[in-house]
Amino acid sequence: MTKKIALIYAHPAPNKSKVNKYLLQAVQYAEHVVVRDLYELYPNMFINVDAEQQLLVESDVIIFQFPIYWFSSPAILKEWMDRVLSGGFAYGATNQLAGKELMLCVTTGGTEDSYQEGGRHGAPLDVYLQPFKQTGLFCKMKLLPDFIVQGVGDMSAGEVAIAGQQYQKIIHELGKGRGQS
Amino acid sequence: MELQSDFLHTAVIYLGVAVIAVPLFKRLGLGAVLGYMVAGIIIGPQGFDIVHEVDPTLNFSELGVVLLMFLIGLELNPAKLWQLRKPIFGLGTAQVALSIAVLMAAGMMMGHGFAVACAAAVALALSSTSTAMQALEERGLSNTTVSQSSFSVLLFQDLAVIPILAFVPLLGMGASAEPTSYEDVLKTFGVFVGFIIGGRYLLRPVFRLIAETKIRELFTAFSLLLVIGSGLLMEAVDISMALGTFLAGVLLAESEYRHELELNIEPFKGLLLGLFFMAVGMSVDLSILFDRPLVILAIVAGFMLLKGIVIYHLGTMAGLTRSDRVLFALLLAQGGEFAFVVVALIQSLGIVDVTFASELVLIASLSMFITPFLLLLNEKIIMPRFNISTVQESDIERNEGHVIIAGYGRFGQIAGRVMLSRKIPVTVIDHDPNHIEFLRKYDFKVFYGDATRIDLLESAGADKAKLLILAMDDQTAVQETAAMVKRYFPELPILARARNRMDLNRLKMAGVKASRRETFSSALEIAELALVELGYGAREAHQTVLRFRHYDEKNIAGAAEFMEDEKSMINYAKRTRAQLEEVMSSDQEELSNSDKAW
């Protein structure tokens, strides 16, 4: 049976995106993927909690795809988490997310080198992703390996295309229920 | 012609003396009732003897009492009555029954016969609504336990007046009452049924028809016709006019035209009651006081002491604190305006003679006269002993802060529905009868009337409301009302509907807390949709519109100083438009810089 994927996409300026836009284009037409472009859906940040929760219930895999802004996600993803992952739905006695899979797809402007102890960005990227991962664990979800693209500023068109193909492949495999664990 | 000028001559005297005396007495904290009475004494046979004939005035002005009963009925919608049922019927019955019993015993000990003592006790057992409620209001005690208890007792007294007026005649008649025939009972019953059915199904359409003509005096005329007509109808079946109009009032208590009716009748009631008090003042026989000052004053003191003690002990029943009980007793210990009505009745029935009637009137008047002084004494000397200030927050539930929405068209409705969705109590005022009819079908609480009238706002509870929203279509009316409300209810925050940019500043100057242009927000939303349609991202479109709103509102505030000068206004507008374009595009730049890359 095909796994269903909910792709929660948070990009404040999609038109100016260098990589995220292409990553999204690479996967958004897959039949088993439903994309939620949060900034497009909720420009005034008022999130339709019922619709979002309904989608999560129907999905097997949840992907948070976003560019790093100030060592975290863009604001709307946090708002989405605050409102959608409510008690009695995402945790507690009636947790409806338990056993589902969570994957982070993250891009950074800075290079991997700069995301190191003593580097310009102070710590490895994984440190900054901990809140998202802990959220998943708290909701009793299984964590999938991250899909990370760093140093976006210096990437050539070819490199971007390759990243898109890799992402596409992972999403395709996930759908078959054979994720690259 | 002579008759006419005579009439005008008398009218000028009444009006003139009232206009001088009443404000003076209010100033002195003695209340309007005393003002009217003293005015009456001055022009009456006892004073300068300008008016000699008292009886015609007294008879005519009793209509004021009838109108008062109507207004009491209007106040009494079943829900309110139900809420206060225990204090009204418990405290009220106890007060009236015990006071009558104690005063009657005292009267009989003084050597009066049963009927005389009973009639006099009944007359004096009732307190003065106007004196007591006025005193409470003036001291800011309207929402306290004492006030609730006093109001309940007074309300019961108001109700008790009806059977009293009906039964007092029996004291004089003895066994001579005619046996009532079946026919009479049937007739009475028929009138009642007709009344209720007419009130339910006929009044509303008639009111609506009249309201639609938009001729205000027609509404007033119909209001008076209704009140006096129902009084006469009742009288035709041997029920007192007071009871008849009271019933008419109760029937209309739930109607959305209630406020407007109240406002129309109120001045007539006020004037006629004033005339009534003046007539009472004229008939007060001061010579009795001058003849036997000590005796009369002793009787007044004894009467108020007895009644006060009864009321003080009832205060225990109502769960009042000791200091509150003292206040409660002082508030209600006096004789009231109904004493005059009852005395007039028992005198005309021959139960008491003229001398005794004048004595009773004098005693009631003097007790009313003394009350404000006693209250002052209580505040200055007795209260400090209890270590309590008179103005205190009470534990009983306050009138819930509601939102008044003036104008319930397409603008006001939206705001109102949001309030109702959060169960915020809303009082709506609108002057379009079609509107009201429509909204009533959806169970809205809507009142007919012109929101620019401060008295209507007052009866809609502007003094207790949390917020006023001026949502009328007529911008001039909005601005005038805003300025007026700021004068009379400076504490009440106002939100207002504006038409254009200039209005925003005018409303701000009028003291409105915040205002919004009626079409501004929806036009911005259309602009946002347009940007999305043109290929902008939803977020960018939204942000653009938010920024536009921000700068536009800033510019308007800046334009306040040019309001009177058209030329510099236009210059300012041109300058700010250029600035706006610049600001918006530089913001755009900033945004794109920060959004660069990944």
Side-chain angles (χ1 to χ4, degrees):
Chain A
M1 202 182 79
T2 320
K3 281 190 180 177
K4 288 193 169 165
I5 300 178
L7 201 166
I8 313 300
Y9 179 64
H11 201 304
N15 291 340
K16 300 186 185 79
S17 162
K18 283 225 170 114
V19 176
N20 251 303
K21 183 166 63 177
Y22 299 105
L23 292 179
L24 188 70
Q25 279 171 8
V27 302
Q28 66 183 353
Y29 300 111
E31 258 182 45
H32 61 302
V33 175
V34 176
V35 175
R36 307 297 269 195
D37 184 343
L38 298 186
Y39 276 112
E40 198 61 26
L41 281 170
Y42 309 119
N44 55 5
M45 287 246 181
F46 183 71
I47 285 158
N48 183 340
V49 174
D50 288 343
E52 296 297 318
Q53 289 183 344
Q54 181 65 30
L55 173 69
L56 297 187
V57 167
E58 290 165 359
S59 305
D60 306 297
V61 181
I62 296 159
I63 298 176
F64 290 163
Q65 182 181 334
F66 59 89
I68 290 288
Y69 270 59
W70 289 113
F71 314 103
S72 183
S73 70
I76 203 169
L77 183 58
K78 183 63 166 63
E79 173 73 1
W80 183 93
M81 289 162 71
D82 293 349
R83 304 272 322 279
V84 176
L85 303 180
S86 54
F89 171 75
Y91 62 90
T94 49
N95 182 353
Q96 300 197 52
L97 300 182
K100 296 184 191 289
E101 293 171 310
L102 176 70
M103 175 179 159
L104 302 179
C105 170
V106 175
T107 60
T108 70
T111 59
E112 199 176 345
D113 290 347
S114 70
Y115 278 90
Q116 296 301 336
E117 210 70 56
R120 191 163 123 83
H121 293 113
L125 177 60
D126 197 53
V127 171
Y128 303 122
L129 297 181
Q130 277 311 307
F132 301 95
K133 293 185 175 177
Q134 181 55 34
T135 301
L137 291 174
F138 190 81
C139 298
K140 296 199 165 62
M141 297 170 78
K142 285 180 280 188
L143 294 183
L144 294 174
D146 312 320
F147 184 82
I148 309 282
V149 183
Q150 292 194 278
V152 166
D154 301 327
M155 282 172 81
S156 66
E159 286 170 316
V160 172
I162 290 168
Q165 280 167 16
Q166 287 172 342
Y167 190 40
Q168 196 172 40
K169 189 159 170 272
I170 292 169
I171 297 290
H172 183 70
E173 295 295 319
L174 268 180
K176 287 190 207 158
R178 284 192 273 116
Q180 27 136 249
S181 75
Chain B
M1 213 47 210
E2 197 182 314
L3 187 85
Q4 201 176 358
S5 73
D6 213 39
F7 168 73
L8 289 177
H9 186 69
T10 316
V12 164
I13 291 168
Y14 280 126
L15 293 171
V17 76
V19 166
I20 295 165
V22 173
L24 192 71
F25 272 71
K26 278 210 91 157
R27 249 298 147 78
L28 295 172
L30 299 174
V33 177
L34 275 181
Y36 281 120
M37 280 171 39
V38 170
I41 293 174
I42 293 168
I43 58 173
Q46 307 286 315
F48 293 101
D49 201 16
I50 304 170
V51 180
H52 330 284
E53 289 282 308
V54 180
D55 280 353
T57 313
L58 197 61
N59 286 339
F60 175 66
S61 62
E62 267 166 29
L63 190 55
V65 181
V66 169
L67 294 181
L68 177 67
M69 293 312 295
F70 177 74
L71 291 174
I72 290 168
L74 267 189
E75 287 294 325
L76 264 184
N77 67 54
K80 197 165 176 180
L81 194 63
W82 189 244
Q83 223 177 15
L84 287 172
R85 63 195 183 281
K86 270 190 195 155
I88 292 174
F89 292 105
L91 270 185
T93 319
Q95 189 273 330
V96 173
L98 286 177
S99 300
I100 290 178
V102 169
L103 293 174
M104 202 170 111
M108 285 171 81
M109 279 192 319
M110 285 166 67
H112 294 292
F114 173 82
V116 174
C118 182
V122 164
L124 292 178
L126 304 176
S127 312
S128 167
T129 308
S130 53
T131 309
M133 293 318 274
Q134 182 98 2
L136 283 168
E137 196 100 330
E138 278 169 6
R139 285 164 178 74
L141 297 173
S142 297
N143 270 312
T144 58
T145 328
V146 188
S147 169
Q148 289 267 325
S149 304
S150 308
F151 176 72
S152 304
V153 170
L154 290 166
L155 196 62
F156 180 80
Q157 293 180 354
D158 289 341
L159 290 175
V161 168
I162 293 155
I164 285 174
L165 291 182
F167 288 115
V168 160
L170 296 181
L171 284 172
M173 282 190 246
S176 70
E178 287 173 50
T180 36
S181 66
Y182 273 120
E183 214 174 300
D184 283 344
V185 175
L186 224 66
K187 213 164 71 185
T188 311
F189 186 73
V191 167
F192 263 96
V193 170
F195 218 75
I196 289 165
I197 291 174
R200 272 211 107 73
Y201 300 104
L202 220 65
L203 273 179
R204 233 195 287 265
V206 173
F207 264 123
R208 206 188 140 191
L209 266 172
I210 288 172
E212 266 173 353
T213 63
K214 297 201 192 291
I215 302 169
R216 189 187 283 285
E217 61 269 24
L218 207 59
F219 202 101
T220 310
F222 182 65
S223 305
L224 284 174
L225 175 68
L226 182 77
V227 177
I228 299 169
S230 52
L232 285 176
L233 189 68
M234 284 297 174
E235 212 176 38
V237 290
D238 292 333
I239 297 169
S240 78
M241 265 184 99
L243 178 59
T245 50
F246 173 78
L247 281 175
V250 172
L251 278 177
L252 288 167
E254 295 276 72
S255 143
E256 62 272 27
Y257 294 100
R258 193 190 103 199
H259 278 8
E260 191 72 5
L261 264 173
E262 218 170 274
L263 291 176
N264 281 311
I265 301 290
E266 188 77 49
F268 290 98
K269 180 218 81 177
L271 274 179
L272 285 171
L273 265 189
L275 192 61
F276 177 70
F277 288 135
M278 278 202 269
V280 169
M282 285 189 277
S283 52
V284 166
D285 198 346
L286 280 178
S287 58
I288 303 174
L289 179 63
F290 295 137
D291 279 356
R292 305 176 291 154
L294 289 180
V295 178
I296 295 292
L297 287 178
I299 292 175
V300 170
F303 149 62
M304 289 185 79
L305 194 67
L306 282 178
K307 194 170 165 190
I309 287 170
V310 168
I311 294 165
Y312 179 86
H313 284 290
L314 288 175
T316 326
M317 195 175 110
L320 297 178
T321 64
R322 261 175 64 203
S323 64
D324 275 356
R325 268 178 270 161
V326 174
L327 181 62
F328 186 43
L330 289 178
L331 276 170
L332 300 179
Q334 79 292 104
E337 44 271 29
F338 282 118
F340 309 139
V341 184
V342 176
V343 169
L345 181 70
I346 55 182
Q347 188 193 337
S348 70
L349 289 168
I351 300 173
V352 294
D353 58 28
V354 185
T355 328
F356 190 62
S358 338
E359 266 183 43
L360 282 175
V361 169
L362 184 68
I363 289 164
S365 320
L366 284 176
S367 68
M368 280 165 74
F369 197 85
I370 292 168
T371 298
F373 296 113
L374 288 177
L375 286 172
L376 216 62
L377 206 70
N378 179 44
E379 253 161 66
K380 292 278 182 279
I381 295 169
I382 303 175
M383 279 293 179
R385 296 195 172 211
F386 290 108
N387 242 341
I388 299 169
S389 70
T390 28
V391 184
Q392 54 182 334
E393 282 302 305
S394 90
D395 300 332
I396 59 156
E397 61 174 336
R398 295 183 66 85
N399 278 334
E400 219 180 338
H402 56 298
V403 176
I404 303 175
I405 301 181
Y408 215 58
R410 58 206 161 84
F411 192 93
Q413 270 175 44
I414 297 168
R417 280 169 51 212
V418 175
M419 299 300 118
L420 291 174
S421 77
R422 299 310 302 247
K423 297 205 169 91
I424 298 166
V426 170
T427 301
V428 169
I429 303 170
D430 200 290
H431 67 280
D432 183 341
N434 290 313
H435 242 139
I436 288 173
E437 199 68 10
F438 173 77
L439 290 166
R440 201 176 57 77
K441 284 183 196 144
Y442 290 89
D443 292 333
F444 278 94
K445 275 259 176 230
V446 188
F447 292 108
Y448 170 81
D450 182 354
T452 57
R453 284 174 62 174
I454 200 77
D455 43 1
L456 183 70
L457 281 165
E458 199 169 1
S459 46
D463 53 334
K464 285 160 193 148
K466 273 227 176 88
L467 180 69
L468 169 66
I469 300 176
L470 296 174
M472 296 96 85
D473 190 45
D474 180 356
Q475 184 55 214
T476 321
V478 169
Q479 288 173 15
E480 278 168 7
T481 311
M484 192 173 61
V485 169
K486 268 293 144 202
R487 257 205 318 282
Y488 288 91
F489 306 102
E491 300 296 317
L492 180 63
I494 309 171
L495 300 180
R497 166 183 178 180
R499 236 175 222 285
N500 56 41
R501 296 161 57 106
M502 302 299 289
D503 293 336
L504 293 179
N505 284 328
R506 291 196 193 104
L507 286 164
K508 200 169 164 188
M509 273 162 55
V512 166
K513 194 159 188 188
S515 46
R516 287 288 180 268
R517 283 162 280 177
E518 54 188 12
T519 51
F520 188 58
S521 292
S522 43
L524 284 183
E525 278 170 30
I526 282 289
E528 184 180 331
L529 292 174
L531 289 174
V532 170
E533 217 43 51
L534 292 171
Y536 285 76
R539 176 171 188 260
E540 200 177 344
H542 189 68
Q543 293 286 319
T544 301
V545 160
L546 288 183
R547 275 200 306 279
F548 179 86
R549 179 194 276 275
H550 172 75
Y551 287 116
D552 190 57
E553 278 164 5
K554 217 167 111 181
N555 285 341
I556 292 168
E561 52 180 311
F562 305 115
M563 261 173 71
E564 305 309 324
D565 182 356
E566 201 189 342
K567 212 168 181 183
S568 40
M569 188 72 224
I570 293 170
N571 273 334
Y572 178 79
K574 281 183 182 163
R575 211 165 58 238
T576 50
R577 195 168 61 203
Q579 273 171 3
L580 188 65
E581 281 164 17
E582 205 178 303
V583 161
M584 292 289 284
S585 44
S586 73
D587 268 13
Q588 210 63 45
E589 215 107 294
E590 240 170 71
L591 186 75
S592 48
N593 277 338
S594 69
D595 282 352
K596 193 170 67 179
W598 59 111

